[in-house]
Amino acid sequence: MTVELTPVTEADKPVLANLMQLYLHDFSEIRGLSLSPHGTFAYSYLDLYFLYETREAFFITVDDELAGFALTRFADDAWTVAEFFVVRRHRRRGVARVAAKCLFARHPGPWTLDYDDNNTAAAAFWHAAVPEPIDAGNLPDSRTRLRSWSGKEVFGIP
């Protein structure tokens, strides 16, 4: 199984928008998201990933098949995992862990990520994927923030 990250181009933005709907559908259980009158979930940050160099969008592929996406942004001297999604077919097979390691390897140095405390699967995944966080703190809105350093020794990146 080959897991890769591929940069999302502006031409691929509709594909990313479609995947975002699957991601937000999954989150609707956790965050109580509602559908718009058009039957879609709103995500107001998508265009920003194509306007600013401090934001990056990647497709996650497995053996050249689309399997999810990762969105990152740079702020406060650290890269942040803004959104991270693997479709259900590819979950619990190690795809997300490999994709996360590839993502962290793109920018060695400090990283942060937030996850919703009500998302127990995400909490378990991120604590396994980031085995030695520098800091873990609770945020005021039922989320936890992990800070770590993406060195080879921390993330086991070959």
Side-chain angles (χ1 to χ4, degrees), residues 1-13:
M1 171 176 71
T2 303
V3 177
E4 296 178 303
L5 296 180
T6 306
V8 179
T9 66
E10 181 110 26
D12 293 325
K13 187 165 45 168

Side-chain angles (χ1 to χ4, degrees), residues 142-157:
S142 301
R143 292 181 301 142
T144 295
R145 172 167 291 155
L146 296 179
R147 292 187 58 79
S148 194
W149 191 270
S150 69
K152 293 182 180 188
E153 66 284 350
V154 173
F155 290 99
I157 299 165

Side-chain angles (χ1 to χ4, degrees), residues 2-148:
T2 303
V3 177
E4 296 178 303
L5 296 180
T6 306
V8 179
T9 66
E10 181 110 26
D12 293 325
K13 187 165 45 168
V15 177
L16 180 59
N18 290 341
L19 287 172
M20 182 63 70
Q21 290 300 302
L22 298 174
Y23 171 73
L24 293 171
H25 174 264
D26 282 0
F27 254 94
S28 67
E29 274 186 312
I30 296 163
R31 290 255 173 111
L33 301 178
S34 297
L35 289 170
S36 74
H38 302 287
T40 59
F41 294 98
Y43 185 77
S44 57
Y45 306 106
L46 190 65
D47 288 335
L48 300 178
Y49 288 90
F50 301 93
L51 296 174
Y52 300 104
E53 291 181 9
T54 56
R55 293 181 181 250
E56 298 177 334
F58 301 97
F59 287 131
I60 299 169
T61 60
V62 176
D63 297 329
D64 297 321
E65 179 182 312
L66 192 58
F69 66 84
L71 302 180
T72 64
R73 65 180 181 268
F74 187 80
D76 299 324
D77 297 321
W79 281 94
T80 298
V81 179
E83 315 290 352
F84 190 88
F85 175 69
V86 173
V87 296
R88 291 179 184 205
R89 176 176 174 225
H90 293 290
R91 292 181 190 168
R92 307 215 189 301
R93 297 179 44 216
V95 171
R97 185 179 300 245
V98 172
K101 286 181 179 184
C102 291
L103 191 64
F104 297 140
R106 295 184 67 81
H107 300 289
W111 278 83
T112 64
L113 63 92
D114 301 343
Y115 62 83
D116 192 301
D117 294 335
N118 296 318
N119 188 343
T120 56
F125 168 74
W126 286 116
H127 280 277
V130 183
E132 298 178 25
I134 294 168
D135 184 33
N138 294 325
L139 300 173
D141 61 353
S142 301
R143 292 181 301 142
T144 295
R145 172 167 291 155
L146 296 179
R147 292 187 58 79
S148 194

